[in-house]
């Protein structure tokens, strides 16, 4: 399960869905693997707008990977620069012309989001405390009968 | 014609083997007219695609590997199934297909779960569901974490039954999925659901129109088995016009 997956998951207990505490789910006892995927800045920049940065910071901290993450979404800085008329650069712009974002920052983010997998561990709901097991990289979100 | 993902690594003891319904999804989603619609829909946005009930992974593997053709750009994708064997098989199918097609798409993970219950609200751009649509007297119970089986045969039969048995009108599971659509789809999100004739498709389409947070639009974008055969299939597309 790649780390980016946590951006799209929440607690399966119905009454938790409306609670802000159910997102993101919290890693516990996680063991990680590194997967190699060729860096693709255009693709990464397309994904960044959909990421809740505060949630991602929480997840990275839980895995001891905070150093991989800038304090704010590079996408926000890029948009701000565009609005100020400094860049006017399309995010699908040719890579060689650059994106206005430090490539080292993007490469670290790529490693964090796309190349870091969680193999074993638990994902815990911050609202109800239910622990979802992750085994062989597959999270199990099926609930026991009393919680359905 | 786009290649069908290789599923030769999949053991079909507990997993639905790709069949006419799977192939109808592949053909319908990659038809020139549908690809054009999807290109337009996602011209400014790299979609997150989720398949519910992936089975072998042939559909989500196909969409991921051929995303550049179908969506005009690579996608991120996720697969959900109630069967952990299917989850692992799908991950491998997607990995192989993406590599084979040299696509930039990324299959993030398989998750074991009940439909979209663990998916964050408003996050899904493309939702695909090939349901357990066969009418059956009873709907098999979902597996759960505490599940114990008498033997392997009981386990295999139960998991396989979940891939096809749909209860009343074959629609019990599909109606639960349809009810989740207003919650999980993003503003530009679109859902594709396969129906068979016994599902009473016209009735289903009316029900979709009545879902909350609409107005919801629904259209049949693919059909098969029109002449003979008891299993007449169609794919419906469900979406909203963006504001």
């Amino acid at each position: 399960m790649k780390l980016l997956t946590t951006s799209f998951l929440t607690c399966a207990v119905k009454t938790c869905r409306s609670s802000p505490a159910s997102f993101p789910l919290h890693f516990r006892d996680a063991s990680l693997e590194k997967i190699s995927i060729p860096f693709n800045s255009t693709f990464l920049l397309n994904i960044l707008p959909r990421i809740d940065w505060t949630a991602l910071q929480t997840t990275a901290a839980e895995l001891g990977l905070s150093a991989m993450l800038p304090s704010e979404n590079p996408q926000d800085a890029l948009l701000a620069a565009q609005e100020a008329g400094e860049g006017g650069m399309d995010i699908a712009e040719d890579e060689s012309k650059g994106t206005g974002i430090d490539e080292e920052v993007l490469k670290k983010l790529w490693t964090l989001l796309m190349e870091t997998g969680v193999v074993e561990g638990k994902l815990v709901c911050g609202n109800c405390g239910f622990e979802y097991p992750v085994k062989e990289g597959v999270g199990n979100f099926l609930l026991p009968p009393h919680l359905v | 014609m786009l290649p069908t993902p290789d599923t030769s690594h999949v053991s079909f003891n507990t997993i639905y083997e790709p069949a006419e319904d799977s192939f109808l999804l592949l053909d319908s989603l990659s038809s020139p007219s549908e690809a054009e619609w999807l290109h337009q829909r996602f011209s400014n946005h790299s979609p997150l695609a989720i398949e519910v009930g992936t089975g072998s992974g042939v559909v989500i593997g196909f969409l991921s590997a051929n995303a550049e053709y179908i969506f005009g750009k690579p996608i991120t994708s996720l697969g959900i199934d109630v069967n952990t064997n299917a989850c692992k098989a799908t991950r491998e199918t997607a990995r192989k297909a993406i590599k084979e097609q040299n696509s930039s798409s990324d299959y993030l993970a398989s998750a074991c779960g009940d439909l979209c219950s663990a998916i964050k609200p408003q996050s899904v751009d493309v939702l695909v569901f090939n349901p357990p649509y066969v009418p059956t007297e009873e709907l098999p119970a979902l597996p759960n974490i505490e599940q114990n089986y008498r033997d392997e045969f009981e386990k295999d039969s139960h998991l396989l039954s979940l891939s096809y048995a749909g209860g009343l009108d074959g629609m019990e599971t599909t109606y639960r999925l349809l009810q989740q659509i207003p919650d999980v789809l993003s503003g530009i999100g679109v859902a594709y659901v396969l129906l068979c004739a016994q599902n009473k498709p016209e009735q289903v389409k009316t029900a979709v129109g009545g879902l909350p947070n609409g107005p919801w639009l629904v259209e049949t974008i693919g059909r098969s088995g029109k002449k003979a055969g008891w299993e007449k299939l169609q794919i419906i597309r469900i979406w909203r016009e963006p504001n």
Side-chain angles (χ1 to χ4, degrees), chain A residues 26-85:
Chain A
H26 302 285
F27 279 115
R28 193 172 292 165
D29 308 327
S31 59
L32 306 178
E33 67 175 343
K34 169 87 192 286
I35 314 138
S36 248
I37 312 274
F39 177 63
N40 183 335
S41 65
T42 308
F43 189 41
L44 179 60
L45 287 166
N46 270 316
I47 292 164
L48 291 181
R50 52 171 64 242
I51 293 179
D52 179 326
W53 213 251
T54 314
L56 182 59
Q57 283 173 321
T58 304
T59 304
E62 284 163 2
L63 298 174
L65 297 171
S66 293
M68 307 297 289
L69 197 63
S71 61
E72 56 180 45
N73 193 332
Q75 182 70 22
D76 299 342
L78 184 71
L79 289 176
Q82 276 174 358
E83 272 172 27

Side-chain angles (χ1 to χ4, degrees), chain A residues 1-2 4-5 7-12 17 23 40 43 46-47 50 114 136-145, chain B residues 45-46 48 75 78 88 91 104 106 108-109 111-114 117-121 125 143-146 183-184:
Chain A
M1 175 196 291
K2 297 193 185 184
L4 178 58
T5 313
S7 292
F8 310 118
L9 293 176
T10 188
C11 182
R17 275 189 93 74
F23 179 81
N40 183 335
F43 189 41
N46 270 316
I47 292 164
R50 52 171 64 242
M114 311 300 273
E136 296 175 62
V138 177
N140 191 329
F141 297 90
L142 290 171
L143 294 165
Chain B
H45 187 90
S46 177
L48 170 72
I75 61 170
L78 287 170
K88 290 173 199 165
R91 185 171 57 191
S104 295
D106 203 274
L108 297 176
C112 181
D114 174 25
S117 59
I119 297 299
K120 195 185 168 212
D125 298 313
N144 69 76
I145 286 172
E146 294 157 8
D183 182 38
V184 297

